[in-house]
Amino acid sequence: MVLVLGGYSGGTNGLLPGQGAHSNASSGGAQNGTNSGNLPSSSSSSSSSSPPHHLHPTQVPPASPFHHGTTLGAACGSTLGMTLDHNGPVLGHQTQLDTHGHHSAGVDGLGGVAHPSHHPNGGQPSQLPIDSHTLLDSHPEYKETAAQFLSMPVKVIGPVGLLYLKQREMVITLPHDKNVSIFGSDDFTICIVMVLRHTGSGAICLAHMDGTGMEEGIPAMLHKIQELSVGFPEGRITLSLVGGFSDPRNYSEELLAAILHAFHKQPVEVDLSLACVCSLNTTIRGGIHWPIIYGIGVIVKTGEIFPASFPDKGPDQELRNARLLTGGQQILDIYDCSLGLLRIGPFNYEPMRGVDLWLQQTDEFILRTLSTTPDVEPPHFVSQVRDTLRHVQLNPFPAVTIFPDNRPRYYRRDENGLWTRY
């Protein structure tokens, strides 16, 4: 795939060959960086050594910015084998990563090898930016579209017609879906939320990304959008990215590079139409960098994206948070648009030690220990963590009472537009 920067450049229909200013208005980055197996103590370290995604198992080295992302977070001196053309032979290019996961020789190593048929008019592929500053220097038009997006008011969205996503979740549907009118997600500080949309079919995907599960998740999203778009008029796949900020440890920059790299490896063109990320989503107050946007909503029928907050984050908020708290790694597709069913689980918790002891800690200790961005979290952060810990305490591993017979929980939209158990 070519990640087409700077707008539409003509060509394909987006299908694989053979196919037809509101930092407190919402929430921010809930449960970033939990050490799920380490018992809290008065000498525990703060969030400065935590990875950027919210809840991680103890086997992850504290200095590693991503769990098992093969594109970023690799140790100094490691190599990355890239397969950029899925329709042809595996390309033997090896990319050297520095300690930040960036290509030490510049952008050519990340985006310089791909099949000419994936590029407008044949020719050479566009270079892949290694960070937001390179992206903006090369394509200043993203500054304009980001400024327009940031000027929009934050809308407070109620639960009627809403399908709310948490971290490491995705949803996909078509515009004629009678059960869902708005996709939404918030609670992101260093995370990045992305919207994929096929301009022909209107098939739309929302995903809340933290660096985990992208190697499997991004191809799955593109495949499902292409699958839903068969038989519709030709169109392009567009990508919008919102979130992240200029955090002190550059976690958002590394996540942005990982997302761009993951898309660049796919065998279909995607137009990057909005990039309100990192430095473009940052304001400074009291000498501290803050995210401007903490949440977005997407109108399913039109694809319109807007800043949003969501007081109702259900259903099964604590259960879904518990998956993260105990180390869940996958990006889960939680919605079956053909049946109109929201699907939660099944999944089992990993064992978590010291839940009682965590619950005895002060709010300040929980904030400083379990967040990678404690200075910019919303007021509900600690209470949400405590609710999740209580849920894990009442439903310990292997949580067989939650998913009897290893069957998921299903929810269907009722006559009032709310999710109810099915």
Side-chain angles (χ1 to χ4, degrees):
M1 178 207 100
V2 177
L3 184 62
V4 180
L5 304 177
Y8 172 68
S9 54
T12 72
N13 65 356
L15 296 178
L16 292 170
Q19 291 182 328
H22 306 276
S23 63
N24 289 320
S26 63
S27 48
Q31 295 108 271
N32 291 2
T34 300
N35 254 323
S36 62
N38 293 339
L39 299 181
S41 67
S42 59
S43 61
S44 294
S45 63
S46 71
S47 62
S48 61
S49 62
S50 301
H53 38 56
H54 296 181
L55 305 162
H56 66 85
T58 56
Q59 66 267 24
V60 179
S64 174
F66 295 104
H67 273 53
H68 41 101
T70 56
T71 52
L72 290 181
C76 181
S78 64
T79 58
L80 172 65
M82 296 172 62
T83 305
L84 296 184
D85 183 7
H86 289 198
N87 300 316
V90 175
L91 303 175
H93 183 71
Q94 297 291 317
T95 298
Q96 191 75 21
L97 301 178
D98 64 17
T99 54
H100 298 292
H102 295 156
H103 185 260
S104 57
V107 297
D108 289 339
L110 289 177
V113 182
H115 197 284
S117 65
H118 296 331
H119 300 274
N121 304 318
Q124 295 299 314
S126 59
Q127 293 184 334
L128 186 66
I130 60 174
D131 55 38
S132 66
H133 305 290
T134 306
L135 174 67
L136 297 176
D137 288 344
S138 303
H139 301 278
E141 61 270 24
Y142 289 125
K143 295 180 182 179
E144 300 176 11
T145 54
Q148 294 172 7
F149 184 77
L150 293 171
S151 69
M152 300 171 66
V154 173
K155 298 180 180 179
V156 180
I157 304 299
V160 177
L162 169 68
L163 202 167
Y164 179 85
L165 268 75
K166 290 190 168 292
Q167 186 181 341
R168 301 180 200 162
E169 293 180 347
M170 66 177 183
V171 288
I172 305 175
T173 194
L174 287 164
H176 58 260
D177 193 322
K178 297 179 180 179
N179 298 291
V180 179
S181 56
I182 293 178
F183 287 159
S185 189
D186 60 3
D187 284 3
F188 52 83
T189 54
I190 54 178
C191 291
I192 294 176
V193 171
M194 65 185 203
V195 180
L196 285 164
R197 186 171 185 267
H198 191 279
T199 60
S201 67
I204 193 161
C205 169
L206 179 67
H208 187 143
M209 313 294 285
D210 64 7
T212 299
M214 293 194 300
E215 291 297 307
E216 301 80 22
I218 286 177
M221 297 172 207
L222 288 170
H223 177 77
K224 189 165 184 179
I225 282 183
Q226 293 164 339
E227 191 177 61
L228 291 174
S229 300
V230 172
F232 284 88
E234 292 187 353
R236 305 281 295 179
I237 296 178
T238 64
L239 171 66
S240 299
L241 301 174
V242 180
F245 73 112
S246 298
D247 61 280
R249 296 187 177 274
N250 287 323
Y251 288 147
S252 295
E253 288 287 355
E254 296 198 11
L255 176 56
L256 174 63
I259 290 172
L260 295 178
H261 188 187
F263 272 104
H264 205 71
K265 293 167 65 177
Q266 308 310 315
V268 58
E269 285 189 356
V270 173
D271 294 334
L272 181 60
S273 58
L274 173 66
C276 186
V277 291
C278 301
S279 60
L280 292 182
N281 188 41
T282 302
T283 188
I284 299 176
R285 300 205 312 269
I288 297 175
H289 287 191
W290 289 74
I292 301 173
I293 298 295
Y294 281 80
I296 65 168
V298 182
I299 299 176
V300 168
K301 184 171 292 187
T302 64
E304 178 189 349
I305 306 170
F306 54 91
S309 66
F310 305 92
D312 187 300
K313 305 178 191 298
D316 278 334
Q317 178 177 184
E318 290 79 16
L319 174 59
R320 292 156 75 183
N321 284 338
R323 181 179 75 91
L324 303 174
L325 181 70
T326 56
Q329 302 285 310
Q330 288 181 297
I331 301 172
L332 296 182
D333 184 354
I334 64 169
Y335 182 60
D336 186 334
C337 63
S338 64
L339 299 176
L341 293 178
L342 174 63
R343 179 181 58 246
I344 306 299
F347 44 81
N348 285 332
Y349 303 146
E350 293 297 323
M352 181 176 179
R353 298 182 295 117
V355 177
D356 295 345
L357 194 54
W358 276 111
L359 287 169
Q360 294 171 18
Q361 304 308 304
T362 65
D363 288 357
E364 179 66 14
F365 181 88
I366 288 177
L367 175 65
R368 294 290 163 183
T369 305
L370 302 189
S371 171
T372 48
T373 54
D375 293 328
V376 300
E377 296 290 0
H380 69 258
F381 172 83
V382 173
S383 63
Q384 192 176 53
V385 172
R386 288 191 182 278
D387 288 344
T388 304
L389 288 168
R390 292 188 190 100
H391 181 89
V392 174
Q393 182 185 43
L394 295 173
N395 301 277
F397 175 87
V400 292
T401 58
I402 296 178
F403 300 106
D405 302 320
N406 206 36
R407 298 181 63 184
R409 284 184 174 183
Y410 286 109
Y411 290 82
R412 186 184 292 278
R413 188 74 74 187
D414 65 17
E415 64 275 10
N416 297 315
L418 305 175
W419 295 108
T420 56
R421 283 290 293 272
Y422 173 65

